[in-house]
Every structure is written in C-alpha cells, then in structure tokens.
Amino acid sequence: QDGFFVRVTVELLQFPAEAHPTEYRRHSLADVCLEVVRHMTVLATVEQIIDFPSHGAKIRFFWEFDEKQPNYLSVCRKLPIFVGTIAIRRMKVVFYVFVFFCYLLSPLPLRVHYLIADIVYVLMYYVIRYRRRVVWKNLTTSFPEKDEAELHRLEHRFYRFLCDYFVETLKLLSFSREEMKRRVVFKDMEQIDEAVERGQSCAVYLGHYGNWEWISSLPLWVKPGTMCGQIYHPLENKDFDRFFLKLRQRMGALSIPMNETLRRLAECIS
C-alpha cells in the first residue's frame, strides 16, 4: 500500500494436539506486532518467541518492515486478517487437490490401491519417517517382553496397515453396496433385528482393529428402518470434516459427534 511492504512468518515451534486454539488467539498477532513496533526503527527485522505454558505451546513470530511512510501502525492491525486469509485459502487449495485425487483414484481396482499403499509405505517409513519415535516408544512400552527384532517386525506391519487403511478408506467413495457386503460380513444379526422388533435399542462394541471406517456398512445387514448410529470425533477443518462425514454415512449410517452422544441417546429413548 503506497510502497509499504510487510513480510510475516509464523512458525509453530511446539503445540500439543490437546491444546485449544482459543488459548493463543488471545495473544493476537496485531498486539504482538504493535508492542514490538513501538521500540523498533525503520527497516528493522523483528523476531520474538511467545510461550503459552498452560498448554506447552511455543510460537515464533518473525517479520520485516520496509517503511516508506511514517504511519504504518494501522497496517499492523490488519496483519492477522491478512495472515488468516492466506492460511484459509491455502487450506482450501489443499482440500480441493486432495478431493480431486480421491475421486480420481477411488474407482481403480482395490489391488491397484494396495500397490499405491506399498509405495506410500516406503515414503512414510523411510523418507518422511512419520512419527517413528512415537510408534517405537508405544511398541516398547506395550510389549516389553519382545526382543528388538520382533518389535521391528511389528513396526513395519503397523505402517503397512496404516497405508492400507488409508487407501481402503478412499475406496469408500466408489464402493457399491454389493461389493461392500462382499468385503465386510456381519454375522448373527438376527439378535439385533429381534431386539429392534421388541422396541429395544442395541449397543455394539468393537475393537479398534482393522479398517473401522468400513464398519459404517452395518446398516446393510439390518432390517430396513433400523437407525444405525456411530460415534465419531469431528475434524477441526470443516471442509475435511464434511468430506469424511460423506464417506462414513454413504452406506446409511448416522454419524454422531462425540460431544453430542448423551443428548442423541436421550432423544432416542424419549
């Protein structure tokens, strides 16, 4: 604006998954900029690390000013909107690219998906090294009686499963109901049908094992009119949340957010 240039970089040094975003929104980027600008000179480079000990978060703000007019504090107040807009647009682009490839790849045969999963496994394990330390710590803690060779075999199996799980989930976009019933079979469903006919409700508990996204095909195995609800954890990104909700409800299941479980159950009972 009139020859004024501002470059801002925000680096997330540490931010646990359980931390709530409202904690750091209280310390707006505008307030931080204005506080430092009061003590800086023209053509200055500023860097500051902000700690949020309540959640163990740590963020570095780095910005450069090329000031050709004296009144630039008003521009600093617009920085959060500017940075936020860029971040939102970037996430939108990532989302649409992701969805495009999902619809492009989903109709391929499942054996091709597993071939893609093998390639992703190599990248994830050897190149990206996705959460290798966390996985190894969990394995050594859970299986202290196993030797290192066996733990490494379990580690490789886990990463192969994770990649298979990902491509199998994408396949939900194009699975027909007949193919889904061939892939996932529920047995002894007569017990649920009889309970529903008596006016009773049923709770089904499953281990977190295998591709739990395919469990959403349960409505294909009960009598028509039976409502099948599944509890899920909503994603923070609304676009991705709607996309995965579409996947999970494609076979007729109703997805219930975790924080609404009791209320939904009370509504069903009443």
Side-chain angles (χ1 to χ4, degrees):
Q1 182 180 13
D2 298 329
F4 183 177
F5 172 77
V6 179
R7 183 173 66 187
V8 180
T9 302
V10 180
E11 180 183 357
L12 191 61
L13 301 179
Q14 180 182 353
F15 195 76
E18 64 269 19
H20 199 277
T22 55
E23 179 65 20
Y24 66 84
R25 275 204 288 260
R26 295 173 187 153
H27 304 263
S28 68
L29 183 56
D31 293 337
V32 176
C33 287
L34 290 173
E35 183 64 26
V36 179
V37 164
R38 293 191 185 99
H39 305 91
M40 61 179 283
T41 58
V42 180
L43 296 175
T45 299
V46 181
E47 180 177 354
Q48 183 171 342
I49 296 178
I50 311 298
D51 282 299
F52 306 101
S54 59
H55 287 295
K58 183 180 293 185
I59 301 176
R60 175 190 290 132
F61 295 95
F62 175 85
W63 51 88
E64 295 179 354
F65 293 93
D66 184 4
E67 185 261 351
K68 294 185 178 180
Q69 56 182 8
N71 183 19
Y72 58 89
L73 290 179
S74 59
V75 180
C76 294
R77 295 190 180 96
K78 299 178 183 178
L79 285 177
I81 300 176
F82 170 77
V83 175
T85 302
I86 295 298
I88 292 173
R89 289 178 179 175
R90 183 177 298 174
M91 284 305 299
K92 284 284 187 180
V93 172
V94 171
F95 169 74
Y96 287 121
V97 171
F98 172 78
V99 172
F100 170 77
F101 280 103
C102 286
Y103 279 99
L104 180 68
L105 299 175
S106 183
L108 297 175
L110 196 56
R111 60 179 178 273
V112 178
H113 280 260
Y114 287 130
L115 178 61
I116 296 174
D118 292 338
I119 299 175
V120 174
Y121 156 74
V122 174
L123 296 175
M124 183 178 291
Y125 187 84
Y126 293 102
V127 181
I128 303 175
R129 300 177 64 86
Y130 176 71
R131 304 190 74 179
R132 287 275 298 272
R133 292 183 180 179
V134 176
V135 172
W136 184 255
K137 180 181 178 181
N138 291 340
L139 286 173
T140 54
T141 303
S142 302
F143 305 104
E145 74 284 357
K146 296 185 181 297
D147 58 25
E148 187 171 339
E150 180 63 20
L151 289 176
H152 277 298
R153 282 193 289 270
L154 290 175
E155 183 184 33
H156 284 279
R157 288 177 58 189
F158 164 74
Y159 277 97
R160 287 189 178 278
F161 155 76
L162 185 63
C163 296
D164 288 346
Y165 162 80
F166 176 72
V167 297
E168 288 173 354
T169 301
L170 296 185
K171 189 61 181 175
L172 280 173
L173 278 172
S174 56
F175 257 153
S176 66
R177 297 196 168 201
E178 292 73 19
E179 187 175 6
M180 177 58 76
K181 292 188 70 172
R182 184 171 64 86
R183 299 284 181 178
V184 181
V185 178
F186 292 86
K187 297 182 178 181
D188 301 324
M189 296 302 295
E190 299 81 9
Q191 301 179 55
I192 294 181
D193 291 334
E194 293 172 359
V196 172
E197 289 179 355
R198 294 193 299 267
Q200 296 177 325
S201 58
C202 298
V204 180
Y205 295 89
L206 300 170
H208 212 225
Y209 183 78
N211 192 319
W212 48 92
E213 301 293 351
W214 285 12
I215 305 301
S216 60
S217 62
L218 177 63
L220 303 179
W221 294 87
V222 296
K223 288 186 176 180
T226 303
M227 183 183 69
C228 296
Q230 54 192 14
I231 301 171
Y232 82 105
H233 191 286
L235 301 177
E236 290 187 7
N237 185 287
K238 300 302 180 183
D239 292 322
F240 281 98
D241 187 54
R242 285 192 294 267
F243 176 75
F244 281 100
L245 269 180
K246 179 180 179 180
L247 285 181
R248 291 164 174 167
Q249 298 184 144
R250 189 167 174 267
M251 298 297 168
L254 174 66
S255 293
I256 302 173
M258 292 179 62
N259 58 354
E260 298 181 14
T261 304
L262 291 179
R263 182 174 63 82
R264 294 291 186 93
L265 288 175
E267 291 175 355
C268 292
I269 293 175
S270 60

